[in-house]
């Protein structure tokens, strides 16, 4: 079995709120996502997403097609570790986002080849995981409190804060959110 095609379909992701997770990240209300497809000569396909609110797929797509597609063509998709090592040699010109998307698509493909979910290939350790809601950097303490309360009211089991990254303000945000959601609600911090 060999990889015989690598493609990226980019589609618009319109209407997302302008999002910033840290200083220096893009904050645009217009972005795009990409669906990476790695196909084998036996017709099986592995898929992964590329792109995020702050790093659109169009920013990384050229790296994928120019640098990684030639590396992948003709390779056995089950040789993930060897492929990953080859991709890591290119990280001066290819972002880790692209390497990660290819790695994810290869794991998806391996699951399809084995007719198993990926978690089973990796040696299932748990059968469920908790989802959480994540903030972006918000304009003030009240905005964090409002958002945390809204997520809690909508059934989210935890809330992750991306604080403004000013220590005194970060502490103020954490204290206010904790007070607003109570001691039994999970709160995480990604500073």
């Amino acid at each position: 079995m060999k990889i015989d095609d690598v493609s990226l379909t980019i589609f618009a992701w319109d209407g997302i709120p302008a999002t910033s997770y840290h200083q220096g990240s893009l904050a645009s209300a217009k972005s795009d996502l990409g669906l990476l497809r790695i196909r084998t000569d036996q017709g099986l396909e592995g898929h992964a997403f590329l792109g995020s609110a702050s790093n659109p797929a169009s920013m990384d797509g050229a790296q994928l097609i120019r640098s990684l597609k030639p590396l992948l063509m003709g390779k056995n998709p089950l040789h993930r570790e060897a492929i990953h090592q080859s991709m890591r040699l290119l990280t001066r010109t290819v972002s880790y986002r692209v390497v990660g998307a290819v790695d994810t698509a290869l794991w998806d493909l391996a699951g399809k080849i084995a007719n198993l979910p990926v978690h089973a290939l990796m040696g299932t350790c748990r059968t469920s995981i908790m989802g959480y809601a994540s903030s972006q950097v918000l304009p003030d303490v009240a905005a964090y409190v409002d958002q945390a309360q809204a997520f809690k009211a909508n059934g989210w089991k935890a809330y992750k804060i991306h604080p403004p990254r000013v220590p005194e303000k970060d502490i103020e945000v954490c204290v206010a959110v904790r007070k607003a959601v109570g001691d039994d609600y999970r709160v995480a911090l990604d500073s």
Side-chain angles (χ1 to χ4, degrees):
M1 179 180 308
K2 300 201 179 310
I3 295 170
D4 73 350
D5 190 36
V6 176
S7 64
L8 181 67
T9 302
I10 296 178
F11 52 94
W13 186 10
D14 295 327
I16 60 171
T19 306
S20 175
Y21 293 105
H22 57 82
Q23 293 172 353
S25 71
L26 299 174
S28 173
K30 185 168 174 60
S31 191
D32 53 58
L33 285 175
L35 180 63
L36 167 60
R37 181 183 65 139
I38 299 176
R39 190 184 71 203
T40 71
D41 57 358
Q42 294 182 8
L44 295 169
E45 296 180 355
H47 300 92
F49 285 112
L50 179 63
S52 68
S54 58
N55 294 297
S58 56
M59 184 169 75
D60 292 328
Q63 300 169 28
L64 170 71
I65 300 305
R66 181 182 62 245
S67 298
L68 294 188
K69 182 176 181 175
L71 181 135
L72 293 165
M73 296 298 291
K75 295 281 192 309
N76 181 332
L78 294 176
H79 294 170
R80 288 182 313 280
E81 199 55 41
I83 291 170
H84 188 80
Q85 289 177 21
S86 297
M87 290 189 299
R88 284 186 55 108
L89 295 175
L90 299 175
T91 56
R92 287 184 162 256
T93 56
V94 176
S95 78
Y96 280 108
R97 292 181 301 274
V98 177
V99 170
V102 169
D103 198 44
T104 299
L106 289 173
W107 274 102
D108 182 48
L109 185 53
K112 290 173 180 170
I113 291 166
N115 198 28
L116 290 170
V118 172
H119 71 81
L121 292 177
M122 298 175 133
T124 303
C125 178
R126 49 178 82 108
T127 57
S128 65
I129 59 172
M130 180 185 66
Y132 63 88
S134 183
S135 81
Q136 63 273 40
V137 175
L138 296 172
D140 54 44
V141 174
Y144 285 96
V145 167
D146 291 346
Q147 188 179 63
Q149 289 175 321
F151 281 131
K152 182 179 179 183
N154 284 322
W156 289 91
K157 301 298 182 199
Y159 178 67
K160 183 171 78 171
I161 299 167
H162 284 93
R165 295 175 62 178
V166 176
E168 297 79 16
K169 184 64 79 177
D170 295 357
I171 292 167
E172 189 180 344
V173 166
C174 291
V175 168
V177 167
R178 169 55 66 211
K179 183 177 179 185
V181 297
D183 291 339
D184 294 335
Y185 189 71
R186 289 184 188 234
V187 177
L189 181 66
D190 189 346
S191 55

